[in-house]
Amino acid sequence: MTFSEQIVYGMFRPGKYKELLDLKKGRSVAYVIVMMLVLGIVGFLIPVSATVAGFGGFTELFEKKMAPVTYEEGTMSIERPFSLNLGTVKVVINTEKDHVTEERVKAPGAYVAFGAKFVNLYISAGGRVDDFGGYKLTDIFPPRLDNQTLVRAVPYIYVYLAVGFLFSCIGYFIKYAIVALIFSIAVNGLNKQLALGLTFGQVFMLCFYGQTAAMILSNFNTALGLFPSMIVSVVGIFISVHMMTTSLALMRHDREV
């Protein structure tokens, strides 16, 4: 079985799940890794790359599009407030006060918010803003900083974005592994009831394969903004359950034939 067949079967062919479960563990691990990389590319890399290309790169941003910013003696100052969306992360610089208040980060997303003396990490979701702590700028920045300092830091920014991409992939893995584990509890009960003889590890991978179409659909929809995320998520759950239960039913049928 080729790797492309593995992906197609995972998305559309629950009748082939038994063949997928019989593959070596290394193939299953590779499948999970590739799927997480795909989701990371769709959910993080493409939106961030589009944003960076939109303003012509960070050098262009800092030199020509960002208002003059200075930092010395522990205090940052910018001529006018600045904001930048990098995927789901929003960078905000507003030095009117020592720190950016929660009232300025109401839109959904994760925020890195720079005030005159502090940087705060916020997550806004469902009308609620959670503050994950503030840090003194003196603990982060060199003694003096201006737009040209930021230009010289551009290579490091791209390194941080690469790290962000990897953490995005890890985040997707944690999310879908937990969902697969939850599904596995119910599916393993059916596995025992139908006497299919699958190990719990195989049941887990069956549930992971069953999510493939839903996770692709959900994350492409999020990237493109076509339909409300909640509706797509509900549809994805139904698709996943259908794929899992259909595969079990077909395995049962094959045993009886």
Side-chain angles (χ1 to χ4, degrees):
M1 182 185 299
T2 65
F3 193 79
S4 59
E5 288 177 328
Q6 197 174 351
I7 294 176
V8 172
Y9 292 167
M11 292 182 66
F12 305 113
R13 301 287 299 278
K16 294 288 187 178
Y17 279 16
K18 187 62 173 70
E19 294 180 33
L20 294 175
L21 298 180
D22 289 337
L23 294 174
K24 293 182 179 179
K25 290 183 179 179
R27 293 288 298 276
S28 297
V29 172
Y31 181 86
V32 172
I33 291 173
V34 170
M35 289 306 304
M36 296 308 102
L37 289 174
V38 170
L39 297 184
I41 290 171
V42 173
F44 182 89
L45 194 58
I46 291 178
V48 169
S49 298
T51 299
V52 174
F55 56 69
F58 286 103
T59 300
E60 178 79 7
L61 175 69
F62 296 145
E63 286 187 334
K64 300 180 180 180
K65 298 182 179 181
M66 185 183 196
V69 59
T70 58
Y71 169 79
E72 55 184 37
E73 298 181 357
T75 301
M76 177 182 284
S77 176
I78 191 169
E79 289 188 1
R80 60 180 180 273
F82 171 82
S83 63
L84 173 66
N85 294 342
L86 291 173
T88 58
V89 177
K90 306 176 190 298
V91 179
V92 175
I93 304 176
N94 189 319
T95 58
E96 295 173 356
K97 296 182 179 180
D98 287 350
H99 63 88
V100 177
T101 59
E102 295 182 6
E103 289 73 19
R104 296 186 177 273
V105 293
K106 289 296 186 181
Y111 289 82
V112 181
F114 293 89
K117 294 186 177 181
F118 295 89
V119 55
N120 289 79
L121 306 179
Y122 295 110
I123 293 182
S124 177
R128 172 182 171 181
V129 178
D130 293 314
D131 186 351
F132 287 84
Y135 304 87
K136 291 182 179 180
L137 297 184
T138 52
D139 296 332
I140 301 173
F141 291 149
R144 294 179 181 274
L145 178 147
D146 57 17
N147 293 62
Q148 286 305 310
T149 308
L150 295 175
V151 170
R152 291 192 292 273
V154 167
Y156 299 101
I157 293 175
Y158 285 113
V159 171
Y160 292 144
L161 290 178
V163 173
F165 167 70
L166 292 178
F167 274 101
S168 174
C169 295
I170 293 171
Y172 282 121
F173 169 72
I174 294 173
K175 172 183 176 180
Y176 290 108
I178 290 175
V179 174
L181 185 60
I182 294 171
F183 275 129
S184 296
I185 296 173
V187 172
N188 196 44
L190 292 174
N191 166 51
K192 293 179 179 179
Q193 182 177 348
L194 298 174
L196 297 177
L198 300 177
T199 66
F200 189 81
Q202 288 178 312
V203 170
F204 176 86
M205 278 307 303
L206 183 149
C207 293
F208 198 93
Y209 282 121
Q211 293 183 85
T212 302
M215 66 175 72
I216 293 292
L217 175 65
S218 176
N219 287 281
F220 266 94
N221 177 71
T222 300
L224 298 175
L226 298 177
F227 304 102
S229 297
M230 181 61 69
I231 294 176
V232 176
S233 296
V234 172
V235 172
I237 291 173
F238 280 104
I239 292 174
S240 299
V241 171
H242 170 74
M243 298 294 282
M244 296 171 198
T245 54
T246 299
S247 67
L248 292 175
L250 292 173
M251 288 181 202
R252 175 65 174 176
H253 177 267
D254 290 342
R255 286 175 63 89
E256 293 177 344
V257 173

